[in-house]
Amino acid sequence: MTPLKIAIQKSGRLNEKSVALLKNCGLNFENYKSSLISTVSNFPLEILFLRDDDIPEYVQDGIADLGIVGENVINETEVNVQYLQRLGFGKCTLKIAIPNESNLQEIHDLEGKAIATSYPVILKKYLQQNKIDATIRTISGSVEISPGLGLSDAICDIVSTGGTLKSNGLKPFAEVLSSEAILIGKDGVDRDGVVKELMQRIQSVLTAKETKYVVLNVDRSNLDTILQLLPGVKSPTIVPLAEENWVAVHTVIQERDFWEKINRLKAEGAQGIVVMPVEKIIM
Ligand code: PRT
Ligand code: ZN
């Protein structure tokens, strides 16, 4: 069988998490920094290591069947590819930012102004949608220094923590696009067979990441109240303890409910609460 090809970033912000995701899917491969291609030994897949900007086109043109890349890059390259799965990492926002001392109040005040960006395609669409006529200055890097150099009145760039804006005397002004890493496929990619298998594995890793395995002890008299707080994958496992009338409850809960649930469980008499990471959940 010809192996499927997946393109991931060679180095940079998405590389480590893309590699970790594929490894957590049980794929065995070498991750040499020097190689451009790696063969998975236990799954019909080859991994191509590329610059992120090239990934959408490689997938569109069928050089790779699949790719992992930021939504910002996909939108900027305007390719025809399919979104297969949102991956929950590489989260960031493409924002317009202005100097702290700028007196612009709302987005239409950008009319007639100059905006520096490495995302001219996305920015142009945003300005058109909002009926703003502004000049786009395309620069490939260090966009944040351009207002200070007198090259633009605003910038449009990726923001994550906001630290870069702050240290350059800029403040967020408008949100253009929120982005995360996406698994993309060539238009019309066969979603059965190997692709389906890989997507199922990815899904089980992503679901597991959002959940915790919880074990706690409780007196039987408090069990009903505790169980109402704990919806398990199907239903919690209850194991009698050596101490009479006490049981251990095993279940999985959503990470986002975690702290709220833990405090309520304690208040309702749960003791010895142990929380463990979950590696995979196969539904
Ligand atoms: O070499 P290659 O071309 O492959 O990589 P690259 O240098 O073009 O991209 P890279 O590795 O920097 O980012 C890859 C992807 O990560 C981006 O396309 C986004 O989808 C995503 N991502 C997530 C980010 C950030 N967070 C991020 N903070 N991409 C860039 N930044 C930069 C931003 O450009 C700005 O300079 O970080 C700075 C802002 O960060 P904060 O935390 O100070 O706000
Ligand atoms: Zn890049």
Side-chain angles (χ1 to χ4, degrees), residues 9-14 50-53 69-73 90-92 119 144 157-165 179-181:
Q9 193 188 25
K10 182 171 171 57
S11 64
R13 288 170 204 265
L14 301 184
L50 303 173
R51 283 205 57 190
D52 68 345
D53 315 70
V69 67
E71 211 169 350
N72 51 313
V73 177
K91 287 192 176 171
C92 55
Y119 294 89
E144 62 281 351
D157 199 12
I158 297 287
V159 179
S160 158
T161 61
T164 306
L165 290 187
S179 173
E180 66 185 278

Side-chain angles (χ1 to χ4, degrees), residues 163-216:
T164 306
L165 290 187
K166 229 182 204 161
S167 58
N168 285 280
L170 300 167
K171 58 183 177 188
F173 187 58
E175 212 168 291
V176 175
L177 174 83
S178 64
S179 173
E180 66 185 278
I182 311 266
L183 176 73
I184 53 170
K186 179 177 153 47
D187 193 30
V189 67
D190 179 6
R191 287 181 185 227
D192 287 331
V194 178
V195 173
K196 189 170 173 189
E197 164 82 28
L198 182 64
M199 283 175 65
Q200 277 170 350
R201 290 193 193 194
I202 290 178
Q203 194 57 56
S204 72
V205 172
L206 297 180
T207 311
K209 238 181 164 173
E210 290 165 10
T211 54
K212 295 284 175 215
Y213 191 92
V214 177
V215 181
L216 57 84

Side-chain angles (χ1 to χ4, degrees), residues 27-277:
L27 309 184
N28 273 334
F29 59 94
E30 300 291 349
N31 181 26
Y32 296 123
K33 285 280 167 227
S34 57
S35 58
L36 291 176
I37 188 158
S38 188
T39 302
V40 177
S41 62
N42 57 351
F43 196 78
L45 188 71
E46 281 177 347
I47 302 172
L48 308 182
F49 297 95
L50 303 173
R51 283 205 57 190
D52 68 345
D53 315 70
D54 296 332
I55 293 175
E57 279 179 16
Y58 267 58
V59 173
Q60 173 183 256
D61 299 345
I63 297 162
D65 307 275
L66 304 170
I68 294 179
V69 67
E71 211 169 350
N72 51 313
V73 177
I74 306 168
N75 286 13
E76 186 60 26
T77 40
E78 289 189 300
V79 286
N80 181 22
V81 293
Q82 284 188 16
Y83 277 35
L84 297 179
Q85 224 155 13
R86 309 187 77 82
L87 299 174
F89 61 87
K91 287 192 176 171
C92 55
T93 315
L94 187 63
K95 287 187 183 171
I96 295 179
I98 55 174
N100 289 332
E101 62 282 5
S102 169
N103 53 16
L104 302 187
Q105 297 296 321
E106 55 105 20
I107 55 165
H108 292 95
D109 296 342
L110 289 166
E111 183 77 23
K113 303 282 191 249
I115 310 171
T117 190
S118 315
Y119 294 89
V121 172
I122 299 175
L123 178 59
K124 188 174 170 198
K125 275 194 198 146
Y126 175 83
L127 294 173
Q128 274 169 356
Q129 273 161 11
N130 288 286
K131 302 192 169 44
I132 298 165
D133 188 9
T135 305
I136 299 174
R137 294 208 199 293
T138 306
I139 1 190
S140 57
S142 304
V143 170
E144 62 281 351
I145 61 171
S146 106
L149 297 175
L151 288 172
S152 70
D153 305 289
I155 67 162
C156 175
D157 199 12
I158 297 287
V159 179
S160 158
T161 61
T164 306
L165 290 187
K166 229 182 204 161
S167 58
N168 285 280
L170 300 167
K171 58 183 177 188
F173 187 58
E175 212 168 291
V176 175
L177 174 83
S178 64
S179 173
E180 66 185 278
I182 311 266
L183 176 73
I184 53 170
K186 179 177 153 47
D187 193 30
V189 67
D190 179 6
R191 287 181 185 227
D192 287 331
V194 178
V195 173
K196 189 170 173 189
E197 164 82 28
L198 182 64
M199 283 175 65
Q200 277 170 350
R201 290 193 193 194
I202 290 178
Q203 194 57 56
S204 72
V205 172
L206 297 180
T207 311
K209 238 181 164 173
E210 290 165 10
T211 54
K212 295 284 175 215
Y213 191 92
V214 177
V215 181
L216 57 84
N217 298 334
V218 64
D219 188 298
R220 273 193 192 276
S221 60
N222 293 327
L223 185 59
D224 284 348
T225 327
I226 294 288
L227 291 185
Q228 277 171 18
L229 289 171
L230 285 177
V233 168
K234 234 182 187 160
S235 76
T237 307
I238 297 165
V239 187
L241 294 182
E243 194 175 332
E244 210 181 333
N245 282 328
W246 277 74
V247 289
V249 178
H250 292 231
T251 193
V252 292
I253 71 173
Q254 290 297 304
E255 169 121 55
R256 59 177 174 273
D257 301 338
F258 183 65
W259 290 109
E260 185 210 358
K261 286 266 164 81
I262 291 300
N263 289 331
R264 288 171 64 195
L265 290 167
K266 271 170 41 188
E268 298 295 345
Q271 293 183 13
I273 303 172
V274 178
V275 180
M276 288 166 276

